[in-house]
Amino acid sequence: MEEYHDRSLRGRVFQRLREDILSGVYHEHEELREITIGEELGVSRTPVREALRQLELEGLVTIIPNKGAYVTGITQKDVYDIYKIRSMLEGMCARWATEHITERQIEELEEVLLLSEFHLQKKGGEQAEQVTELDGKFHKVLYEASNSRILEHVLSDFHKYVQMARAMSVGEKNRAVRSIQEHREILKAIKDRDGELAEELANRHILNVMKNLHLSEQVVRRENREEQEEI
């Protein structure tokens, strides 16, 4: 029982640190001090140390012996790669959803779209945050509708890894309007059981996000060159 508690504690610390890194609470190259994190989370150094090792395996943290653990973060190249892979996998997900989606999931997606349009018309600082959250929910339900645990897990992880870039894209009003319309078109194709069209629309949707974020091979190469020159 004690061993299970230790694993559970380590898992909670890992998830918290992972979320904080991906959401920008911790910045690239920032040191992650075991004592400080342990005090903040109310745990000993052991689960923090184990969580940091796990984060290193994911490429989010670099541990330098006798120095400490530092945030590696998500580079522009990482974001580009993730969106490029998503542009293919999201299409597969939409195609499979046409075969397996339930009426309840269709209703959920329609409700998400209605709420997205409602919040888009509101004024105030929370508007972008609410629309971004609903955008995430739309994709989450779609992943579930694919009826593939593996695909759902992979795409959900990718979605978390680029959440800051995604928030920037959806938060821009003109892009948000187009994004909701694209979601509507994907849902219609799924409801019509047109797997080929649903796949094409879902792939194009992600490519449009990349275009809005100015993600291209040329941009990534240029930024890589600039980083190398700084080094």
Side-chain angles (χ1 to χ4, degrees), residues 7 39 43 68 74-75 84 110 113-114 127 135 144 199 215 226:
R7 287 202 308 269
E39 289 174 351
V43 299
I74 301 294
T75 66
K84 197 68 177 175
E110 288 176 334
L113 291 174
L114 286 172
Q127 178 206 64
D135 175 87
E144 292 171 357
E199 181 173 19
L215 286 172
E226 289 171 356

Side-chain angles (χ1 to χ4, degrees), residues 74-159:
I74 301 294
T75 66
Q76 185 83 342
K77 173 72 163 57
D78 294 332
V79 174
Y80 171 81
D81 288 348
I82 288 170
Y83 271 107
K84 197 68 177 175
I85 296 167
R86 276 186 65 193
S87 72
M88 293 176 275
L89 293 184
E90 292 269 357
M92 182 188 295
C93 175
R95 178 185 280 272
W96 287 0
T98 63
E99 302 169 13
H100 302 289
I101 197 165
T102 65
E103 285 302 317
R104 180 188 61 79
Q105 289 168 332
I106 288 174
E107 289 172 5
E108 278 189 79
L109 291 171
E110 288 176 334
E111 183 182 357
V112 167
L113 291 174
L114 286 172
L115 284 171
S116 298
E117 290 167 342
F118 169 75
H119 285 299
L120 203 58
Q121 301 306 316
K122 288 168 61 178
K123 295 181 180 179
E126 295 182 1
Q127 178 206 64
E129 185 179 336
Q130 290 164 332
V131 172
T132 301
E133 187 177 331
L134 288 164
D135 175 87
K137 186 173 181 184
F138 181 91
H139 286 276
K140 181 177 183 293
V141 176
L142 206 57
Y143 300 161
E144 292 171 357
S146 73
N147 196 39
S148 168
R149 285 189 308 159
I150 303 301
L151 188 58
E152 180 183 348
H153 174 73
V154 170
L155 283 171
S156 295
D157 256 10
F158 279 171
H159 213 60

